[in-house]
Amino acid sequence: MEEQRERLEGELLAAIAAAADLRALEEIRVRALGRRGEVTALAKAVGRLPPEERRAAGQAVNALKRTVEEAIARRRAELERIELERRLARERIDVTLPPRPRPEGRVHPVSQVTEEIVAILADMGFAVAEGPDVEDDYHNFTALNIPPEHPARQMQDTFFLEAEEEGAPLLLRTHTSPVQIRTMLAGRPPFRIIAPGRVYRRDYDMTHTPMFHQVEGLLIDRRTHMGHLKGCLIDFVRAFFERDDIPVRFRPSFFPFTEPSAEMDIGCRRGKGQLVVGAGDDWLEILGCGMVHPRVLEGVGLEPDVWQGFAFGLGIDRLAMLKYGIPDLRTFFEGDLRWLRHYGFVPLDIPTTYGGLSR
Ligand code: PHE
């Protein structure tokens, strides 16, 4: 056995030293130390020796195993180094080559415009608030003083869900105004919040999609009046369209949750499938607004003689179409990458003109 061991050691060490590459070395390792390897077979043979010989023979075979393992590890390191040197000599990096373009995403106009709007209003002191897309009847309608016979409550305007809560079906919020209610119930006045988010209505044409985006604004304080509302919104559109001379007008309107209510229009010129904002003698509606209705205030436990305020709801998508000249609202949500590449924004970290949020 001793003889066999010595012969094997000689053979294996020679083979290891001669292994030309890592593959060959691995083959030798398996042949020697694998489950059916020669060293392994020798170790098994030790068990068949007479008891008095086993100890010495076992130690000898273990020593052989270690010797072979070490030799393999050394040869492997050597081969790896040789391989690396070969690659370094063969491969070269040409630093003068132009870089391969990296795929770069675009910021969707809705995201971009949301950030612009939030930046302007945040500068005026409004904090961002949020509410759920799935609302209940109370927050979306009842608390906003919307009576049962109001058209918004009908099936043709609102997406109702099958699930019910307190006897009334849940629904997809039809506006961001429920966030007003949630805000006033959750905190104490004064309030100054904006709530950007998705809203849902059963509508579909060039300027309507079943899902679109609004920003709600709510300001509640002592002695707030319509002048504050007008000043705030006029400043807002001027900052948003980046023009100080943009014509605006407030038209009397109706919302169950504001009194008085108004719609704000901006001056524009229409013609030949084009719409130019800030000039001409035509008007375009961009938002609804008004002084928060006393019944809404009472409903959330605020005394209308002490606390008053204004609210507004503006359509983000509509503003995006106007500011960036995008003619069809439906294209916003078709997920066409060519469209996004054309109308989207490069995500650069450049501050906006108002120094607000830009990410
Ligand atoms: N919630 C109204 C709408 O979606 C807009 C609005 C908000 C009007 C706040 C007045 C005050 O049409």
Side-chain angles (χ1 to χ4, degrees), residues 144 174-178 180 199 201 212 214-217 255 257-258 261-263 285 287-291 310-314:
L144 288 162
T174 57
H175 50 179
T176 40
S177 299
Q180 290 184 33
V199 301
R201 286 181 208 171
F212 59 104
Q214 287 188 334
V215 175
E216 191 79 9
F255 300 101
F257 37 93
T258 46
S261 302
E263 268 160 355
E285 180 205 324
L287 61 86
C289 58
M291 301 305 294
F310 62 81
F312 57 88
L314 54 86

Side-chain angles (χ1 to χ4, degrees), residues 243 266-271 274-280 282 284 322:
R243 307 185 45 159
I266 55 172
C268 66
R269 193 179 60 229
R270 284 173 230 248
Q274 244 201 358
L275 185 73
V276 182
V277 173
D282 215 344
L284 189 82
L322 287 175

Side-chain angles (χ1 to χ4, degrees), residues 22 51 56 58 94 99 106 120-121 157 161-162 184-186 198 208 215 219 238 270 279 303 309 322 351 355:
L22 289 168
D94 183 350
R106 286 283 182 276
I120 297 167
L121 293 167
D157 287 312
L161 307 181
E162 275 178 14
M184 291 191 284
L185 286 173
R198 280 188 270 270
H208 295 89
V215 175
L219 184 147
R238 289 187 177 154
R270 284 173 230 248
E303 236 190 287
L322 287 175

Side-chain angles (χ1 to χ4, degrees), residues 108-110 317 320-321 326 328-335 339:
H108 194 284
V110 170
D317 322 77
M321 291 170 78
I326 312 173
D328 190 334
L329 178 59
R330 292 169 297 197
T331 57
F332 276 56
F333 310 116
E334 281 169 358
W339 182 90

Side-chain angles (χ1 to χ4, degrees), residues 25-97:
L25 187 64
E26 176 61 13
E27 270 164 27
I28 297 166
R29 191 191 65 77
V30 171
R31 213 178 69 216
L33 304 168
R35 217 152 24 90
R36 291 206 206 110
E38 290 166 301
V39 177
T40 315
L42 203 60
K44 283 181 191 154
V46 171
R48 291 190 295 271
L49 289 174
E52 65 279 9
E53 288 174 31
R54 268 184 220 159
R55 193 182 148 86
Q59 280 172 352
V61 173
N62 277 340
L64 167 64
K65 203 170 147 198
R66 259 195 316 277
T67 308
V68 171
E69 278 168 355
E70 280 163 17
I72 289 176
R74 257 197 316 278
R75 183 62 185 156
R76 176 174 296 133
E78 222 168 82
L79 286 172
E80 275 166 356
R81 195 185 35 101
I82 292 169
E83 174 60 15
L84 179 66
E85 268 162 19
R86 221 182 273 146
R87 279 187 54 197
L88 287 174
R90 192 175 58 225
E91 297 173 12
R92 282 197 207 297
I93 295 173
D94 183 350
V95 293
T96 66
L97 279 176

Side-chain angles (χ1 to χ4, degrees), residues 184-224:
M184 291 191 284
L185 286 173
R188 302 172 129 274
F191 298 109
R192 205 181 269 214
I193 59 108
I194 45 176
R198 280 188 270 270
V199 301
Y200 307 83
R201 286 181 208 171
R202 298 182 65 159
D203 244 336
Y204 193 67
D205 60 36
M206 280 259 298
T207 51
H208 295 89
T209 49
M211 186 281 299
F212 59 104
H213 301 82
Q214 287 188 334
V215 175
E216 191 79 9
L218 173 73
L219 184 147
I220 302 282
D221 210 329
R222 294 185 161 92
R223 287 185 288 278
T224 314

Side-chain angles (χ1 to χ4, degrees), residues 123-158:
D123 266 1
M124 295 186 188
F126 289 90
V128 172
E130 282 182 326
D133 286 22
V134 173
E135 264 297 2
D136 53 33
D137 181 273
Y138 170 74
H139 290 95
N140 197 78
F141 296 130
T142 308
L144 288 162
N145 193 34
I146 299 179
E149 64 279 6
H150 195 280
R153 288 201 173 208
Q154 250 117 74
M155 296 295 272
Q156 55 267 35
D157 287 312
T158 304

